[in-house]
Amino acid sequence: MRASHALALASALRHCGDGPIRNAVHRLCEVYVESADSISRRDACSSAFRDVIRSVPQERIQIVLPELVPVLEFGRHDNEENVRKVFDEAFSELPVSGVHQFVDQTIALVAPMLAGSSSWSLRKQAAETVAAIARSVGASLNMDHAK
């Protein structure tokens, strides 16, 4: 995946049915998670996610949210600032207000990285993702009890 291909992918997906959108998002998720040692691939994936979210109609994005949200949340904790910023942009354009709906899927994504990844940067990113979810869920619990 290269950054120059991100916009072309997003443009093509705009006119596709649900199947190709699911397949493309699934493959982007795999490529991002497998690219721990390649800043350029992670950067290209972050751009592709952002461009897909911007290009594909929101009702079509809804079908891939259970896979998309966990990877975007994970990407928001990338060790490269530019990659994090693009993931933040992509996340802010989603038709969801947070990760609360997708906590189980996010934990399922990062748990294997915490337990068995040989990459310390992946372990760190996974741990930061879990910590951010804990803070977010904890804050919402505190707000519920304050009412």
Side-chain angles (χ1 to χ4, degrees):
M1 168 62 66
R2 295 187 177 184
S4 60
H5 299 140
L7 195 54
L9 173 66
S11 295
L13 289 177
R14 179 182 311 144
H15 306 291
C16 289
D18 295 349
I21 293 170
R22 283 181 205 269
N23 292 340
V25 167
H26 179 74
R27 185 63 188 131
L28 274 174
C29 292
E30 289 177 338
V31 170
Y32 176 72
V33 170
E34 295 167 359
S35 299
D37 297 329
S38 174
I39 295 168
S40 62
R41 286 182 78 183
R42 293 191 333 262
D43 185 48
C45 285
S46 66
S47 295
F49 281 121
R50 182 196 58 211
D51 293 343
V52 165
I53 291 167
R54 287 179 177 170
S55 297
V56 174
Q58 292 296 308
E59 62 272 6
R60 291 256 182 64
I61 290 294
Q62 294 280 347
I63 65 167
V64 294
L65 285 178
E67 186 169 18
L68 188 57
V69 170
V71 172
L72 293 183
E73 181 61 24
F74 180 62
R76 293 172 73 191
H77 303 284
D78 195 283
N79 61 0
E80 278 297 314
E81 184 178 354
N82 291 335
V83 174
R84 278 194 314 270
K85 285 181 181 179
V86 176
F87 271 110
D88 281 338
E89 285 177 39
F91 193 87
S92 71
E93 296 189 27
L94 286 175
V96 296
S97 59
V99 297
H100 296 90
Q101 295 172 261
F102 305 100
V103 170
D104 291 342
Q105 293 93 331
T106 306
I107 297 300
L109 173 72
V110 299
M113 294 173 211
L114 286 169
S117 176
S118 61
S119 167
W120 284 106
S121 64
L122 264 184
R123 284 183 175 191
K124 177 180 180 270
Q125 186 177 352
E128 289 174 351
T129 302
V130 171
I133 290 171
R135 284 190 300 272
S136 176
V137 171
S140 70
L141 291 174
N142 288 337
M143 300 266 294
D144 289 342
H145 288 298
K147 291 180 182 179

